[in-house]
Amino acid sequence: MEFDLIVKNGIIASACDVIAGQDIGIKDGKIIALGTALEATSSSTTTIDAQGGYITPGGVDSHVHLEQPNCPMGDTWETGSRSAVCGGTTTVIAFVSQARQHDSLLPLVEEYSARAEANSYCDYGLHLILTNPTMKILTEEIPTLAREHGITSVKLYMTYDPMILRDREILNIMMASRKLGMTTMIHAENHDMIDLIIETLEAEGKTEPYYHSVSRPKIAEAEATYRAISLAELMDAPILLVHVSSQTAAQHIRDAQTRLLPIYGETCPQYLWLLAERLKGTEKDHFHGAQAVCSPPLRETSAETDAMWRGIANGTFTTFSSDHAASKYHVEGGKKLGLVDGKPFFRKIPNGLPGLETRLPLLFKGVLEGRISIHDFVRVACSSPAKLYGLPSKGAILPGKDADLCIWYPHGKMKSFSLRNDMLHHDIDYTPYEDLEFANWPRYTILRGKVVWDRDGEGLTGKMGYGQYIKRGASLLPGPRNVFVNEWRPPM
């Protein structure tokens, strides 16, 4: 058996097991063998010694915003995907975003696809953001995009004036998605609660970045999460609640799952590591907290971050995504849009944080500190997002799968360091994780059999344009159960 690449002496991790003493044989971008003492039969075969470190599947980051209007002065496909592979992620799924005035999705998909084509370091897929779900779009265009373009997921918003959908519109989308085996992603926050609080805060002159967290309380997320689950139960439709940040919202998801509803949850690094105090200014920069503005906001106490870790460990969360939606801070047109004539207005600050490159290292830090297991790590960062979003060739180290690997340092073999933004490969001028201590980091990233990141060697070795577009299929996780709340049935 001939190999292009053999990876030896690692501990292969999956969502349910670890395997030591097995080599990984790779040919033509695919894993073709797991076995003992695989040997190179050609001088062209490369061998990597994992030296006893964990080998996890290449990361699948299923919630990424690149070159979108909501991320002014943010990462391009080139810089964002570059940072992904340098952090162990080999596949991202980004968003084609519809604005209210767009009455067709087809030109939007064509235009956004052109931005990514030939500019990505990693493999990628696309979601749709729907803000004007006309019947033509739901009955004609979405089926076409699913069938011909492999776009099998939609995202919708229960908040933000330019994007919010009414419950009836949400139900219509769920009906269409259910017929096609698509996943509906939902940003769940109660818009009217938030709108009222913002109005009163601004009347009181409380407009500093910190008040962003005050304006979007946990109860707003909890109510909308419960409502989204109720709508999904009515339609017998699978949904994913994105970027869950609070204990009560997570509990609603957990309760639905115990009733066997196809309800899935996602959380993000910021809700594991950061608290609302980060939104406060410093003595030198009163606007500094704008760097940590995201929605839902960072929460007030460690009880909430602990609950997010617990949600990963107990299976409440299906996916762990970066929600990378970065804007520069130190330039006009980015986060500084929230400064109007020198006065801060949190409502005008672009939402979102950088996190593509740091996603996996931050989660692996939780493994090292005993918060989650290596199996939890693989499940939420690699295998479950691949299953949920119809990526059968991704997310696992098995023969026949794409040879996407992340090789970590053996325990104690990497010198710990404090993170600085200039160590990262994005095009953002800050990281919210500055000075956080790391004891491990991806040593190698391998995408379809090619080493694209070699931390101890040349660093970034991948080439822009090597990343390929992936036409996705239907979700591989449990979907509709044909169980309804009463004798009424949604149109099938």
Side-chain angles (χ1 to χ4, degrees):
M1 190 176 287
E2 293 187 358
F3 304 107
D4 298 323
L5 174 66
I6 300 173
V7 181
K8 292 180 170 289
N9 301 324
I11 302 172
I12 300 170
S14 75
C16 61
D17 209 347
V18 292
I19 305 170
Q22 296 289 299
D23 303 335
I24 303 171
I26 296 166
K27 179 71 174 177
D28 296 330
K30 296 285 187 179
I31 298 169
I32 63 169
L34 299 179
T36 304
L38 298 182
E39 294 295 335
T41 57
S42 166
S43 59
S44 63
T45 301
T46 301
T47 300
I48 292 177
D49 185 355
Q51 301 178 348
Y54 275 121
I55 306 173
T56 58
V60 178
D61 193 343
S62 54
H63 190 155
V64 172
H65 300 272
L66 296 173
E67 289 194 52
Q68 285 184 231
N70 67 316
C71 306
M73 305 301 293
D75 271 310
T76 63
W77 270 97
E78 175 187 354
T79 62
S81 64
R82 179 181 70 198
S83 69
V85 298
C86 296
T89 290
T90 51
T91 304
V92 301
I93 312 181
F95 294 88
V96 178
S97 187
Q98 179 195 31
R100 294 270 195 223
Q101 68 270 23
H102 296 143
D103 57 9
S104 175
L105 301 175
L106 304 182
L108 303 178
V109 170
E110 182 178 357
E111 188 273 335
Y112 190 69
S113 297
R115 298 185 197 180
E117 188 176 3
N119 290 316
S120 184
Y121 282 83
C122 64
D123 287 353
Y124 63 96
L126 299 175
H127 305 292
L128 298 169
I129 292 176
L130 296 181
T131 61
N132 182 21
T134 65
M135 291 312 296
K136 179 183 178 183
I137 284 173
L138 295 180
T139 61
E140 298 178 20
E141 292 194 359
I142 286 182
T144 297
L145 290 169
R147 182 177 61 252
E148 297 182 8
H149 295 265
I151 301 176
T152 55
S153 47
V154 297
K155 182 183 178 184
L156 53 87
Y157 290 80
M158 301 173 79
T159 187
Y160 299 133
D161 283 320
M163 310 181 92
I164 184 172
L165 298 179
R166 295 177 293 108
D167 287 355
R168 176 57 191 271
E169 293 173 307
I170 295 172
L171 290 168
N172 289 342
I173 291 170
M174 288 179 176
M175 195 184 316
S177 296
R178 185 186 190 278
K179 291 178 183 179
L180 296 167
M182 297 176 73
T183 298
T184 301
M185 309 161 69
I186 300 179
H187 178 139
E189 290 183 287
N190 183 298
H191 180 75
D192 289 329
M193 288 184 184
I194 294 166
D195 196 47
L196 172 64
I197 297 171
I198 290 175
E199 183 180 303
T200 57
L201 287 172
E202 289 186 341
E204 296 168 2
K206 296 176 179 177
T207 58
E208 292 84 3
Y210 172 75
Y211 288 102
H212 172 77
S213 65
V214 177
S215 74
R216 308 180 91 92
K218 292 178 290 184
I219 195 171
E221 181 182 25
E223 186 280 330
T225 297
Y226 186 84
R227 179 158 41 101
I229 292 169
S230 298
L231 298 175
E233 184 174 8
L234 176 69
M235 304 306 290
D236 184 36
I239 62 170
L240 174 88
L241 281 306
V242 297
H243 45 50
V244 176
S245 69
S246 61
Q247 190 167 185
T248 306
Q251 189 60 52
H252 288 325
I253 296 169
R254 184 72 169 173
D255 291 344
Q257 291 168 345
T258 62
R259 295 192 291 123
L260 302 183
L261 300 179
I263 306 299
Y264 301 102
E266 168 199 273
T267 194
C268 308
Q270 55 266 34
Y271 305 123
L272 302 181
W273 291 104
L274 305 176
L275 294 174
E277 63 185 18
R278 292 291 296 270
L279 281 86
K280 295 180 178 178
T282 65
E283 192 172 318
K284 293 182 178 179
D285 181 5
H286 69 97
F287 194 63
H288 186 267
Q291 295 183 6
V293 166
C294 60
S295 293
L298 306 179
R299 298 306 180 187
E300 293 80 7
T301 70
S302 59
E304 303 299 332
T305 54
D306 289 346
M308 299 303 99
W309 283 111
R310 193 162 57 247
I312 293 174
N314 68 21
T316 299
F317 294 122
T318 307
T319 65
F320 177 76
S321 304
S322 68
D323 190 15
H324 180 89
S327 296
K328 294 183 180 69
Y329 178 72
H330 295 285
V331 299
E332 295 300 322
K335 290 283 188 179
K336 295 288 178 73
L337 287 171
L339 278 178
V340 181
D341 296 327
K343 180 179 173 65
F345 284 92
F346 68 82
R347 181 168 49 88
K348 297 181 180 294
I349 299 170
N351 274 232
L353 306 179
L356 246 173
E357 189 168 350
T358 49
R359 179 185 71 113
L360 290 187
L362 287 164
L363 190 62
F364 200 84
K365 185 174 169 68
V367 175
L368 298 179
E369 295 179 1
R371 289 179 171 269
I372 59 171
S373 70
I374 190 65
H375 311 302
D376 297 324
F377 174 96
V378 173
R379 176 177 54 81
V380 297
C382 312
S383 62
S384 286
K387 292 175 182 177
L388 180 67
Y389 292 111
L391 296 165
S393 68
K394 304 293 186 181
I397 302 174
L398 292 170
K401 301 283 189 179
D402 285 354
D404 296 351
L405 307 175
C406 179
I407 303 175
W408 300 82
Y409 286 88
H411 181 68
K413 291 295 180 69
M414 190 195 86
K415 184 179 180 181
S416 296
F417 68 91
S418 296
L419 183 66
R420 300 191 317 273
N421 188 60
D422 62 13
M423 298 174 175
L424 301 175
H425 297 78
H426 59 197
D427 189 33
I428 305 302
D429 53 12
Y430 77 97
T431 171
Y433 308 105
E434 189 86 20
D435 295 327
L436 195 62
E437 192 79 8
F438 288 88
N440 213 322
W441 198 269
R443 182 177 165 220
Y444 293 101
T445 304
I446 298 170
L447 170 59
R448 285 181 281 106
K450 300 291 186 184
V451 176
V452 292
W453 167 250
D454 178 358
R455 187 171 183 268
D456 294 331
E458 299 177 39
L460 178 67
T461 56
K463 304 298 182 185
M464 185 176 70
Y466 181 63
Q468 295 180 350
Y469 176 69
I470 305 171
K471 293 178 67 174
R472 296 182 292 117
S475 173
L476 302 172
L477 294 182
R481 303 179 303 146
N482 291 316
V483 175
F484 300 93
V485 298
N486 61 18
E487 63 187 54
W488 178 80
R489 301 290 183 269
M492 301 297 183

